[in-house]
Amino acid sequence: MRVTRTVAETRLTCTSVPRPLGFVPTMGALHAGHLSLMAAARKECATVAASIFVNPTQFGPGEDFERYPRNEGRDLRLLEEAGAALVFAPPSAEMYRPGASTSVHVGGPLTSLLEGASRPGHFDGVATIVAKLLGIVRPDRLFLGQKDAQQLAVVRRMVADLDLGAEVIAVPTMREPDGLAMSSRNAYLSSSERRGAARLYRALQQGVVVARLPKPTTDVLRTVEADLARREDDPAPRLEYVALVDPDTFEPAAQPHRGHLLAAAARLGAVRLIDNIIV
Ligand code: AMP
């Protein structure tokens, strides 16, 4: 496995590998969710490249950029075991050079609602770094997690609108045995918070049960709210939003439909949890 630190070396290496080339971008602190993206990429591609870059421009002021978990040695070992041929792990100065003045903005409800409303500027940071990485690695296929469903939709839109040429492939969310979606940020949870965090997925599951019945949207959302409001021993995540949306546009749906997304964000202690289920 080759580890590259510069744009030039990465681009050169990627031009001569067997195709199709699959690409798995990450911010490191790898868990089984990341490894499931690697496994999906390995299955479908002759070569797999990954990246590790904690992208400063997708963190808002007061978010966890400084304390985001970093452990490159462990990540590189895991990526090697997972079959990566190349890992691009640039320093920040390589990705954001002096004088840089371009960013990518995907417009519409896709970036103004839900995560876009909670985290202003976040998706501009994501779109810009993904566009840059695609320009450097030039993969045939890009593997992204369904867990970050809105990010997935934003990147799909950008790749289509800008003719970036990679096929975007969504990989299902990997969960802990109690249902909690795996996330690098789960490491910040105390043990009681960790137990309480699984309540978010259980509440979404209750919502989906209702969504699959012929009932109005409000019932679905209220079901999730009510489930999280129940008194239990473990602390409840405090709901920031719960919504039923079209998975491509993220426009709120009037009625639940097959294929719609029930998506939520909630806070527990210092951690912001997001999750979603496809109805
Ligand atoms: P991150 O390192 O958090 O930026 O995530 C890198 C990629 O892994 C993104 O495409 C995420 O959607 C994906 N990912 C994160 N958590 C999971 C999970 N639990 N299951 C599947 N994919 C995930």
Side-chain angles (χ1 to χ4, degrees):
M1 183 180 79
R2 184 153 181 186
V3 180
T4 58
R5 305 286 178 187
T6 66
V7 170
E9 188 190 1
T10 310
R11 186 172 278 147
L12 195 66
T13 307
C14 289
T15 52
S16 58
V17 296
R19 297 263 165 176
L21 170 59
F23 179 46
V24 177
T26 81
M27 298 203 300
L30 301 185
H31 50 67
H34 298 110
L35 300 180
S36 73
L37 302 190
M38 288 296 303
R42 281 273 286 174
K43 220 168 121 191
E44 291 187 28
C45 300
T47 307
V48 180
S51 63
I52 301 172
F53 183 63
V54 185
N55 174 35
T57 65
Q58 71 188 70
F59 288 77
E63 289 188 3
D64 55 347
F65 175 68
E66 298 297 338
R67 66 189 181 103
Y68 195 83
R70 291 165 171 87
N71 189 342
E72 195 190 80
R74 176 178 177 276
D75 290 341
L76 291 177
R77 269 198 311 281
L78 289 172
L79 289 171
E80 179 145 43
E81 280 168 26
L86 176 138
V87 179
F88 178 40
S92 194
E94 180 70 7
M95 296 307 275
Y96 295 106
R97 294 179 296 276
S101 321
T102 304
S103 75
V104 180
H105 174 71
V106 176
L110 201 43
T111 53
S112 62
L113 301 178
L114 309 191
E115 288 304 287
S118 295
R119 305 181 70 188
H122 169 66
F123 286 124
D124 289 357
V126 169
T128 303
I129 198 68
V130 174
K132 284 169 67 65
L133 289 168
L134 291 177
I136 296 163
V137 175
R138 301 189 177 258
D140 301 293
R141 295 180 191 144
L142 173 65
F143 292 83
L144 299 175
Q146 177 66 40
K147 171 176 177 271
D148 299 284
Q150 200 169 355
Q151 164 173 285
L152 171 69
V154 167
V155 171
R156 270 194 202 289
R157 185 80 251 169
M158 172 187 75
V159 167
D161 289 351
L162 299 182
D163 302 306
L164 297 181
E167 183 187 351
V168 179
I169 294 173
V171 179
T173 303
M174 281 285 283
R175 301 181 179 280
E176 302 286 355
D178 65 0
L180 175 65
M182 289 183 178
S183 164
S184 306
R185 291 184 168 105
N186 293 347
Y188 305 144
L189 294 164
S190 72
S191 58
S192 74
E193 287 167 354
R194 167 63 193 80
R195 290 192 304 275
R199 293 184 58 179
L200 181 61
Y201 179 60
R202 289 204 293 272
L204 286 174
Q205 283 181 306
Q206 296 301 314
V208 164
V209 168
V210 175
R212 287 178 179 155
L213 304 169
K215 287 232 177 166
T217 319
T218 47
D219 289 1
V220 175
L221 307 184
R222 284 213 192 103
T223 300
V224 176
E225 287 163 3
D227 198 66
L228 286 171
R230 281 211 336 263
R231 286 191 74 85
E232 287 183 14
D233 290 343
D234 299 323
R238 278 173 289 113
L239 208 53
E240 208 173 88
Y241 65 75
V242 57
L244 198 54
V245 297
D246 177 291
D248 298 319
T249 62
F250 269 72
E251 279 177 290
Q255 294 289 325
H257 257 287
R258 240 189 130 69
H260 278 158
L261 222 57
L262 183 61
R267 285 191 183 272
L268 193 52
V271 181
R272 191 166 175 280
L273 305 164
I274 60 169
D275 204 347
N276 66 84
I277 304 183
I278 301 170
V279 175

